[in-house]
Amino acid sequence: MAQIEKMIAKTFMDIATGLETGSFGARPRIAVTGLGSEHGEANSVEAAVLAADRGVDVTLIGTAENEKFNTVKVSDEDEMYKEMEKMLDSGDIDGCVTMHYPFPIGVSTVGRVVTPGKGKQMFIANTTGTSAAERIEAMIRNTIAGIITAKACGVKNPTVGILNVDGARQCEGALKELQANGYDIHFAESSRADGGCVMRGNDLLVGACDVMVTDSLTGNILMKMMSSYCTGGSYEAVGYGYGPGIGEGYDRLVLIVSRASGAPVLANAMEYAAQLVKGNYREIAAKEYAAAKKAGLEKVIAARKPVKKEASEEVVECPPKEVVTASVAGIEVMDLEDAVQALWKAKIYAESGMGCTGPLVMMSEANHDKAVEILKAAGYIS
């Protein structure tokens, strides 16, 4: 009887919430981390209230409390991130918006902006992390991630443009080969007179495509410019943040914002996360990756890989796995795997990763200082 009463109470609460917000049905449970912003925890609180008013079931992982959202109390940033991962893995939340997260190689984020020329929303693929260690492969995989994200947000047939950066023409050739092999991709046309799917700076401003493909470091700069061009850069005021980490088989829904992102961007990012949950982004991702593979994705990528130097005959075995909580930055992405191998050779377990500021080699706290010495001696860091 008590269980029935709880179900009835929940039903009435859902109806009341739907009448208040205009959104009926189960609300996605989205967390936001409160500590670490350059604008203080009050910034996350303001954003959480805004998102809650739009129908998102918000949890703040931090110290502040408010009747509009739930709070999970933590004492510092380290505890905050551990709690975030625990809640994601247990299913207590569907997704989280945070200001820093080291995604593994193969996962990078799809940003979302409002273009200044026509106020159109556009997805930037991609903005943090890296989809692959090699540039052209990363841009090809960024395209798929962008399509997945746009479709999950309700864009049925997203148009794809490729920003005119190094590798754009190789990426174009690869994508058109996938299209010819049956992968359903819709190319945009540049707003410039000569057209084509390779986009210019003008196309960024007017939003000539739904998904703008680029490398993640360029994408990161574009996000910062598009979100703070009216504020001088210290406060990101426009857009939806740097977006969700997307990669084949990756399950955690983590959306990145900057430490300079203001409350409007954080609130939009939480709404962005809720849209992805409602849009069944994981199901869309599985279908898109399957379709791309059926069209020969791996062969298309392999055909465009640079010629490698003659491989060393030495086989380096991976040491026993350890928990990696320390990291070393400043290593070129093309040297990342070699740097990991150098540490393995010294019997130090290490993994490659990508943080908000670039490539990382991660190892245990106990091995950090020794790893720095080895990487310096090998010329990977200065």
Side-chain angles (χ1 to χ4, degrees):
M1 187 68 180
Q3 187 65 28
I4 294 173
E5 289 175 351
K6 286 181 181 180
M7 291 176 63
I8 293 171
K10 184 179 184 303
T11 300
F12 278 110
M13 283 298 296
D14 289 344
I15 292 171
T17 301
L19 291 171
E20 183 181 357
T21 64
S23 177
F24 290 88
R27 296 191 300 162
R29 300 160 301 168
I30 306 301
V32 61
T33 54
L35 308 180
S37 171
E38 293 176 5
H39 309 302
E41 189 175 16
N43 187 63
S44 295
V45 171
E46 182 183 349
V49 170
L50 287 171
D53 286 341
R54 298 175 193 171
V56 181
D57 186 347
V58 179
T59 295
L60 177 81
I61 308 175
T63 66
E65 295 181 309
N66 189 287
E67 62 181 10
K68 295 276 189 175
F69 54 77
N70 306 309
T71 299
V72 172
K73 290 288 187 76
V74 293
S75 57
D76 54 38
E77 286 190 51
D78 184 56
E79 185 184 358
M80 179 179 73
Y81 285 111
K82 287 178 181 176
E83 189 63 36
M84 180 189 86
E85 291 187 333
K86 177 182 173 183
M87 294 175 72
L88 284 167
D89 293 343
S90 67
D92 289 340
I93 55 175
D94 298 308
C96 188
V97 172
T98 191
M99 283 154 261
H100 171 72
Y101 196 71
F103 293 106
I105 298 295
V107 178
S108 57
T109 64
V110 181
R112 187 175 173 186
V113 299
V114 178
T115 60
K118 294 185 177 180
K120 179 187 174 184
Q121 292 190 17
M122 182 172 66
F123 296 88
I124 306 290
N126 284 6
T127 63
T128 66
T130 186
S131 297
E134 198 279 312
R135 182 183 183 83
I136 306 304
E137 178 182 352
M139 291 176 68
I140 295 167
R141 294 189 184 279
N142 288 352
T143 306
I144 299 170
I147 291 171
I148 289 165
T149 308
K151 285 186 174 182
C153 288
V155 185
K156 188 175 181 180
N157 295 306
T159 57
V160 172
I162 307 161
L163 190 62
N164 192 18
V165 295
D166 184 28
R169 294 298 176 182
Q170 295 97 312
C171 180
E172 178 189 14
L175 295 179
K176 289 188 172 177
E177 186 175 338
L178 285 175
Q179 184 189 52
N181 291 345
Y183 183 56
D184 187 25
I185 182 170
H186 302 266
F187 289 105
E189 282 287 322
S190 171
S191 61
R192 300 300 296 272
D194 48 354
C197 67
V198 174
M199 304 281 111
R200 287 66 157 179
N202 312 66
D203 298 309
L204 273 170
L205 299 176
V206 301
C209 56
D210 296 311
V211 176
M212 181 70 76
V213 178
T214 185
D215 64 275
S216 60
L217 294 179
T218 301
N220 191 273
I221 293 169
L222 294 177
M223 288 299 304
K224 294 182 185 302
M225 293 180 65
M226 298 285 262
S227 60
S228 58
Y229 58 87
C230 288
T231 69
S234 61
Y235 187 94
E236 296 182 4
V238 182
Y240 293 75
Y242 300 71
I246 302 292
E248 188 174 3
Y250 190 72
D251 287 332
R252 285 177 177 166
L253 181 58
V254 178
L255 286 84
I256 298 298
V257 289
S258 166
R259 295 185 189 275
S261 295
V265 173
L266 266 69
N268 286 347
M270 283 182 264
E271 192 172 17
Y272 187 6
Q275 283 183 304
L276 292 168
V277 174
K278 288 182 176 179
N280 295 316
Y281 84 98
R282 287 191 181 94
E283 181 180 328
I284 291 171
K287 288 180 180 178
E288 290 298 321
Y289 284 121
K293 285 187 171 182
K294 186 177 179 181
L297 175 64
E298 301 304 331
K299 287 184 178 180
V300 167
I301 288 172
R304 288 161 177 82
K305 282 190 178 291
V307 177
K308 293 185 177 180
K309 298 176 184 178
E310 187 175 339
S312 170
E313 292 183 2
E314 183 182 10
V315 177
V316 180
E317 291 186 2
C318 177
K321 189 168 184 176
E322 298 177 343
V323 176
V324 291
T325 54
S327 62
V328 176
I331 300 167
E332 289 293 333
V333 69
M334 296 299 291
D335 295 330
L336 204 53
E337 296 306 322
D338 289 340
V340 169
Q341 294 277 314
L343 294 180
W344 285 6
K345 190 175 180 180
K347 308 301 181 185
I348 293 176
Y349 178 76
E351 298 176 5
S352 58
M354 181 66 71
C356 293
T357 56
L360 300 171
V361 171
M362 300 179 288
M363 69 294 297
S364 69
E365 293 284 351
N367 285 326
H368 176 265
D369 292 343
K370 186 177 179 182
V372 169
E373 292 178 8
I374 293 168
L375 294 173
K376 278 185 178 179
Y380 292 112
I381 56 175
S382 56

